[in-house]
Structure formats: structure tokens, C-alpha cells
């Protein structure tokens, strides 16, 4: 696996509405996209920092993994995952490689994430405690 760059950092927040103005000020840039990802039960907001993005994640249901993450973090958010761009190799190839290397997968096959990217997650148990996402730009 040889990612070209960090595609985005995922940060869990309790409220997009409350957090977006802070990040707009901190990063000196406007949030350029808000999107709900229904199957992950989250609402996302994106900012660009160079070629990397910041993805804020607000749970839309107590069942959301983001809600559980916030609960584990004393009700506060924090860095939730790091996402690498593996467009050159493709997510499917990287998953195969990861599985062969004994890395535990959360997703056995690529699925659709925010911004129409093809994505898959690797289990933090196998990745030094950091939830790791692989991203591929859609063709
Ligand atoms: Zn992500």
C-alpha cells in the first residue's frame, strides 16, 4: 500500500452547527460541503487544508458509531479516524493486501462514503489504535 496523501482527518463533534464557525475561523476557510451519510448515521461537514480535508462528523442517531465514540470520550469529540488516498492502487487491492498482511478489516469490500468516494475501514486493533480509512476517487 502506498497512499499518495492524507485524504482527510475525521473529527467527531457533538454539533456541526456549533463547531463549523469555530473551524471556519481556525482554518480561515469556509465549510464547502455538508452532507448526510445515511448508512453511517452521520452528518458531515468538509473544509480544505491544502490537498487534505477536515471532515467533521456529527451523529444523527444514538446508534451511530460516532455517538458511541463521543460517549467514550466523556461526551466530547476528538480525532476519530485518518483517511489515506489510495486512488492509484484502488481500495479493493489495498484491502486484499491488508488482509494478506493479517490486518483486521471492518469492510471486506469498498463501499460509498461521503463525497461519493469509494471507501473502506481497517480495524483500529490492527492499526495501532487508529481507525484507518482508505479512499479512492470515483472514476
Ligand atoms: Zn472519513
Amino acid at each position: 500500500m502506498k497512499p499518495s496523501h492524507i485524504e482527510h482527518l475525521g473529527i467527531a463533534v457533538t454539533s456541526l452547527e456549533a463547531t463549523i464557525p469555530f473551524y471556519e475561523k481556525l482554518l480561515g476557510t469556509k465549510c464547502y460541503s455538508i452532507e448526510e451519510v445515511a448508512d453511517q448515521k452521520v452528518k458531515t461537514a468538509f473544509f480544505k487544508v491544502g490537498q487534505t480535508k477536515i471532515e467533521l462528523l456529527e451523529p444523527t442517531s444514538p446508534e451511530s458509531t460516532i455517538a458511541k465514540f463521543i460517549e467514550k470520550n466523556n461526551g466530547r469529540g476528538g480525532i476519530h479516524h485518518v483517511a489515506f488516498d489510495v486512488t492509484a492502487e484502488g481500495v479493493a487491492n489495498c484491502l486484499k493486501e491488508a488482509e494478506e498482511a493479517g490486518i483486521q478489516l471492518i469492510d471486506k469490500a469498498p463501499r460509498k462514503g461521503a463525497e461519493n468516494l469509494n471507501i473502506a475501514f481497517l480495524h483500529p486493533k490492527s492499526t495501532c489504535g487508529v481507525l484507518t480509512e482508505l479512499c479512492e476517487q470515483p472514476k
Side-chain angles (χ1 to χ4, degrees):
M1 203 179 309
K2 199 164 184 255
S4 56
H5 62 285
I6 292 176
E7 214 283 331
H8 64 268
L9 286 177
I11 298 176
V13 301
T14 53
S15 159
L16 286 186
E17 201 187 349
T19 318
I20 286 171
F22 169 77
Y23 274 94
E24 287 185 333
K25 209 164 182 184
L26 182 75
L27 303 173
T29 186
K30 289 276 169 204
C31 167
Y32 71 89
S33 168
I34 293 178
E35 185 185 337
E36 186 161 346
V37 184
D39 75 325
Q40 289 174 64
K41 300 185 178 71
V42 292
K43 221 161 85 181
T44 63
F46 283 94
F47 303 84
K48 280 195 179 109
V49 182
Q51 64 177 344
T52 299
K53 297 162 196 158
I54 299 294
E55 174 186 41
L56 302 182
L57 301 143
E58 176 196 301
T60 54
S61 149
E63 300 305 303
S64 164
T65 57
I66 297 300
K68 287 170 188 151
F69 176 83
I70 290 172
E71 207 177 290
K72 269 195 244 164
N73 283 267
N74 303 317
R76 301 174 65 185
I79 292 192
H80 178 257
H81 65 273
V82 57
F84 296 105
D85 190 310
V86 297
T87 300
E89 293 160 279
V91 171
N93 288 331
C94 289
L95 284 177
K96 206 172 144 208
E97 191 185 318
E99 191 163 34
E100 281 165 10
I103 294 174
Q104 195 182 328
L105 311 180
I106 291 177
D107 299 300
K108 297 264 179 213
R111 58 188 165 95
K112 282 289 174 193
E115 300 201 298
N116 201 33
L117 296 177
N118 299 314
I119 64 153
F121 283 95
L122 306 180
H123 201 287
K125 275 184 190 156
S126 296
T127 51
C128 311
V130 179
L131 178 60
T132 301
E133 180 179 356
L134 305 174
C135 298
E136 176 187 336
Q137 304 297 327
K139 301 221 159 68

